[in-house]
Amino acid sequence: MREYKIVVLGSMGCGKSTLVRAIAEGAVIDTDVPNSDRRGADKASTTVAMDYADIDLPNGDRLRLYGTPGQQRFDFLWPILLQGASGVVLLLDARREAAVAELDTYLDVLRQHAVQVPAVIGVSHLDLAPGFALDVCAEHAAIGERALPVVPVDTRERDQGLCLMDVLMSEMETSELVMAHG
Ligand SMILES: Nc1nc2c(ncn2[C@@H]2O[C@H](COP(=O)(O)OP(=O)(O)O)[C@@H](O)[C@H]2O)c(=O)[nH]1
Ligand SMILES: [Mg+2]
């Protein structure tokens, strides 16, 4: 049996907690409290520590899923959470005007703290921002020579969340092969 630590990054309100919950189907520990920072995103509750879920895969392997707090004042936690990560999901909120700038910021964090770690970019809230430029996003989505997949995802839909995880798992398999065979 193998365990994979998966870290979910993204701004407040992009759908991290929803994604973790949808994938875990209730088997999830979260720490949402009333949101005291309505400037960042107008939502009633927010995650103060992190979301966490264990998911057993049919082959006996296990995913440990960590949703990070999105508020900037918790950014000191990102490198700590990224330690030992097998994979990263970077969630972007299509409604946010600065989504591509945020993508660049998160990619810098990954370049510094997780340069080899397989990653996918999920774009949420596309139903509310259908004009979002996925192609521009895809142009930015690279770490060195490595292009990262960009996947539209409504995190409320379990099937879409699982599909995003499938893309990440195949990135992880590819990277294992590359490590093993150069
Ligand atoms: N319309 C729409 N709402 C979404 C989507 N993804 C998440 N949400 C909603 O966005 C809100 C914020 O999600 P949450 O998981 O708390 O964000 P977090 O701060 O990243 O943990 C919730 O009400 C979700 O139901 C999406 O793709 N479309
Ligand atoms: Mg949350």
Side-chain angles (χ1 to χ4, degrees):
M1 190 200 79
R2 304 186 52 181
E3 291 191 348
Y4 300 97
K5 175 181 180 180
I6 312 290
V7 177
V8 185
L9 295 172
S11 61
M12 202 201 289
C14 68
K16 299 178 297 296
S17 297
T18 309
L19 178 73
V20 172
R21 272 185 214 129
I23 293 172
E25 271 194 320
V28 61
I29 299 165
D30 67 30
T31 48
D32 277 6
V33 296
N35 181 16
S36 60
D37 180 7
R38 290 279 177 133
R39 287 163 309 159
D42 192 19
K43 59 183 209 135
S45 70
T46 191
T47 311
V48 285
M50 65 182 86
D51 306 296
Y52 174 74
D54 263 351
I55 297 128
D56 291 315
L57 299 177
N59 66 0
D61 288 349
R62 174 174 286 178
L63 298 182
R64 296 189 179 283
L65 211 56
Y66 294 83
T68 58
Q71 300 102 306
Q72 209 70 38
R73 67 196 155 93
F74 287 114
D75 58 3
F76 70 93
L77 274 178
W78 302 340
I80 299 169
L81 275 167
L82 285 168
Q83 274 174 35
S86 308
V88 173
V89 174
L90 212 158
L91 266 189
L92 280 189
D93 184 336
R95 294 170 303 175
R96 287 170 77 94
E97 232 164 88
V100 175
E102 279 173 14
L103 171 60
D104 290 337
T105 304
Y106 281 110
L107 288 173
D108 277 337
V109 173
L110 297 184
R111 285 182 192 108
Q112 274 186 54
H113 302 287
V115 72
Q116 307 267 30
V117 181
V120 294
I121 295 163
V123 183
S124 68
H125 291 88
L126 276 168
D127 52 315
L128 301 175
F132 183 77
L134 279 170
D135 51 340
V136 176
C137 187
E139 280 166 23
H140 284 244
I143 295 180
E145 301 279 280
R146 184 160 61 100
L148 307 185
V150 177
V151 183
V153 60
D154 186 327
T155 63
R156 299 167 301 175
E157 300 291 334
R158 180 158 203 264
D159 288 352
Q160 296 190 29
L162 291 176
C163 182
L164 180 71
M165 294 309 292
D166 259 357
V167 175
L168 178 60
M169 297 294 283
S170 62
E171 289 293 298
M172 286 159 54
E173 276 168 27
T174 306
S175 124
E176 270 183 30
L177 286 174
V178 171
M179 298 279 190
H181 303 289

